[in-house]
Amino acid sequence: MRWPADFAGDPSWRRTPEQQRAFEAAIDSADALYGIPDVNPLALARAVRSNPRLSWVHTMAAGGGGQVKAAGLSADELDRVLFTTSAGVHGAPLAEFAVLGVLAGAKSLPRLNRQQRDREWSGRWTMGQVSEQKVLVLGLGGIGRIVVQKLHALGTTVIGTSRNNISVAGVAEVVHLDRLIDVAPTVDAVVNTLPGTSATERLLDGRFFGALRPGASIVNVGRGTVIDEAALIDALRSGQVGFAALDIFETEPLPADSPLWELGNVLVSPHTAALNAAEDRLIAELFAANATRLLDGRSLLNRVNTVEFY
């Protein structure tokens, strides 16, 4: 491991053939797996098909459903093995990054950075007040609810999205995803916490960005596939989107030729906002709690939806 929660490990390290055989033999004797072997969907598929006694796999990622989907398992295999994720473990650090993004947009961070770089002492201007702003939080799951708590504590008016008719403390209004275009012109910032599914793919597209209040901020701590990056780049260049704080992208690592690297109104974070020193312990505690539930015959926390894979 090169850093906490580096479950893939150093990519230059390889097992010897003897080590690989021993590794696979251990996997093939297990009733449960703590993590996807080598964080590799192909290795997961091999494990499920080689081990008929395997009944539960816990993924280290909050969005582990995408890894399960990529394994290409059959309906029978998905029915035989329970899959759970580490959703919730990363909520607090991701929520802090989301607040950073909202604040940076309100406080003109791109302009401040440019003027400092150019040694320009300009005239004064009025910065946005987060306590007077309205923020749209996409998704009211584990991460979204913590984002709401932190923004609400700053006095922000929060609109949340959900497919269900729910009430969440700190949320002034809950809207369905099919109403995004309606609420877009009313918000100062958008925080995405949604998982990557067929229903959320490129949900934030050119039509959505065009409907936004000019100069609004975009923060992504959900999945990169939720945002149409080409449309976002166009909106950033035109100023329709004033600022974007992005911790996750459609393609990772972010390609060197992506315009996002050089746009002055973008903060690029290399998928590191969730990382914290307690992550390994928190995931282990979640796994232990689920192991207890499994042995007691109770339902498991964070079950992967094997239809939409979130």
Side-chain angles (χ1 to χ4, degrees):
M1 293 174 71
R2 296 159 292 175
W3 48 73
D6 178 25
F7 302 112
D10 186 342
S12 67
W13 185 82
R14 294 288 185 275
R15 297 182 189 91
T16 65
E18 182 181 14
Q19 289 172 330
Q20 185 65 31
R21 286 192 295 271
F23 180 64
E24 292 181 358
I27 290 171
D28 294 347
S29 69
D31 297 294
L33 295 181
Y34 182 63
I36 292 176
D38 296 328
V39 198
N40 184 334
L42 294 178
L44 173 62
R46 192 215 65 82
V48 171
R49 289 163 186 162
S50 300
N51 183 358
R53 63 186 284 176
L54 183 64
S55 60
W56 172 35
V57 175
H58 180 78
T59 72
M60 302 309 197
Q67 296 170 330
V68 176
K69 181 180 180 180
L73 301 173
S74 69
D76 288 343
E77 290 165 341
L78 291 171
D79 186 57
R80 172 170 64 87
V81 181
L82 297 174
F83 296 94
T84 57
T85 75
S86 296
V89 166
H90 315 89
L94 286 176
E96 288 196 3
F97 183 86
V99 173
L100 165 69
V102 173
L103 283 167
K107 301 304 178 185
S108 310
L109 180 62
R111 180 174 178 178
L112 292 171
N113 281 337
R114 176 180 56 78
Q115 291 190 183
Q116 180 175 345
R117 183 195 64 216
D118 296 342
R119 300 174 184 264
E120 175 190 350
W121 186 275
S122 71
R124 300 170 69 190
W125 71 91
T126 301
M127 291 184 174
Q129 302 299 306
V130 172
S131 60
E132 299 172 358
Q133 292 190 340
K134 185 181 291 185
V135 176
L136 174 63
V137 176
L138 302 177
L140 294 173
I143 298 170
R145 291 184 182 227
I146 302 176
V147 172
V148 168
Q149 292 171 6
K150 294 185 182 299
L151 290 174
H152 182 68
L154 293 172
T156 309
T157 300
V158 179
I159 299 175
T161 67
S162 175
R163 292 185 293 185
N164 304 306
N165 184 21
I166 61 174
S167 177
V168 176
V171 178
E173 180 183 6
V174 177
V175 300
H176 194 276
L177 288 177
D178 60 13
R179 287 193 53 213
L180 289 185
I181 299 298
D182 297 332
V183 300
T186 72
V187 300
D188 301 284
V190 180
V191 176
N192 174 52
T193 73
L194 290 170
T197 70
S198 58
T200 64
E201 186 170 355
R202 299 196 171 181
L203 184 68
L204 304 188
D205 55 11
R207 183 165 170 257
F208 174 80
F209 296 132
L212 275 176
R213 178 177 292 173
S217 298
I218 300 291
V219 182
N220 194 7
V221 292
R223 280 293 170 261
T225 55
V226 177
I227 293 179
D228 181 337
E229 277 185 13
L232 174 60
I233 289 167
D234 288 342
L236 285 160
R237 283 172 168 162
S238 71
Q240 180 66 19
V241 171
F243 176 72
L246 309 172
D247 182 56
I248 193 158
F249 303 85
E250 283 185 328
T251 301
E252 295 185 1
L254 183 63
D257 61 354
S258 171
L260 292 171
W261 285 111
E262 55 195 36
L263 286 172
N265 52 350
V266 177
L267 176 64
V268 171
S269 169
H271 203 150
T272 195
L275 196 63
N276 75 96
E279 185 170 344
D280 292 307
R281 173 179 58 80
L282 293 172
I283 294 175
E285 289 172 352
L286 174 59
F287 180 82
N290 261 343
T292 300
R293 285 172 169 266
L294 184 69
L295 293 172
D296 289 346
R298 299 161 59 200
S299 60
L300 301 191
L301 303 169
N302 297 346
R303 282 281 302 273
V304 171
N305 178 320
T306 53
V307 176
E308 296 188 64
F309 292 97
Y310 69 89

